[in-house]
Amino acid sequence: MKEILRIRTTKRTSIVNITPYIREILKRSGVREGLCLVYVPHTTASVFINEGADPDVLKDIVYTLEKLIPWEDPSYEHAEGNSAAHIKSAIIGNSRIVPISEGNLLLGTWESVFLAEFDGPRERKVVVKIFPDVD
Ligand code: ZN
């Protein structure tokens, strides 16, 4: 099964914890064992998994990305002016796969799944596809 989340971001850089929405989709699917693909079909956005307990971790990730990949750089050539967002998206990647076990996402205790948008605010689609194990 496949569902599409629509997430509205609020700032140029927004990181949204989408784990609760993915868990709802998984619950509705009834799948007990398998894989869950989370994919974002946008060139300035990413999906990643990291600490969901302490929001300071996300602040530090955003801070470091901004430091490494500044918004302004006279050497950027892309005319739209959002090269930094494309670069961050490309480096982090646009999908993750999470194992499903006993009807739950097999995330670590402190892990959550995040949508990152680097050229917002925008409304973004996130594709969540559940692959049941085939016996
Ligand atoms: Zn662009």
Side-chain angles (χ1 to χ4, degrees):
M1 81 176 278
K2 177 196 76 187
E3 288 198 25
I4 297 177
L5 298 171
R6 288 172 197 278
I7 307 289
R8 176 157 291 285
T9 65
T10 55
K11 295 175 285 184
R12 178 188 281 170
T13 296
S14 292
I15 298 184
V16 181
N17 187 339
I18 57 174
T19 318
Y21 309 120
I22 299 167
R23 287 200 168 111
E24 280 174 28
I25 293 169
L26 176 57
K27 201 172 183 181
R28 271 202 301 280
S29 78
V31 171
R32 304 284 301 161
E33 302 290 330
L35 295 173
C36 176
L37 169 70
V38 184
Y39 170 82
V40 60
H42 303 288
T43 62
T44 62
S46 296
V47 173
F48 69 91
I49 296 172
N50 212 280
E51 160 131 10
D54 179 358
D56 285 345
V57 172
L58 298 178
K59 287 183 196 164
D60 290 348
I61 289 172
V62 169
Y63 161 77
T64 302
L65 286 170
E66 302 287 332
K67 193 167 65 166
L68 293 173
I69 308 163
W71 188 259
E72 303 279 350
D73 186 318
S75 296
Y76 291 154
E77 296 193 17
H78 177 47
E80 196 185 9
N82 62 351
S83 288
H86 289 292
I87 294 164
K88 290 171 192 169
S89 168
I91 288 173
I92 297 171
N94 59 2
S95 69
R96 291 294 188 272
I97 294 172
V98 184
I100 299 162
S101 180
E102 299 177 352
N104 295 307
L105 296 173
L106 209 52
L107 291 168
T109 303
W110 307 110
E111 286 185 321
S112 292
V113 184
F114 295 96
L115 164 71
E117 168 59 54
F118 299 110
D119 188 21
R122 298 173 188 260
E123 185 179 291
R124 288 318 204 181
K125 287 185 271 192
V126 181
V127 179
V128 179
K129 190 162 171 66
I130 309 279
F131 296 88
D133 278 356
V134 180
D135 296 323

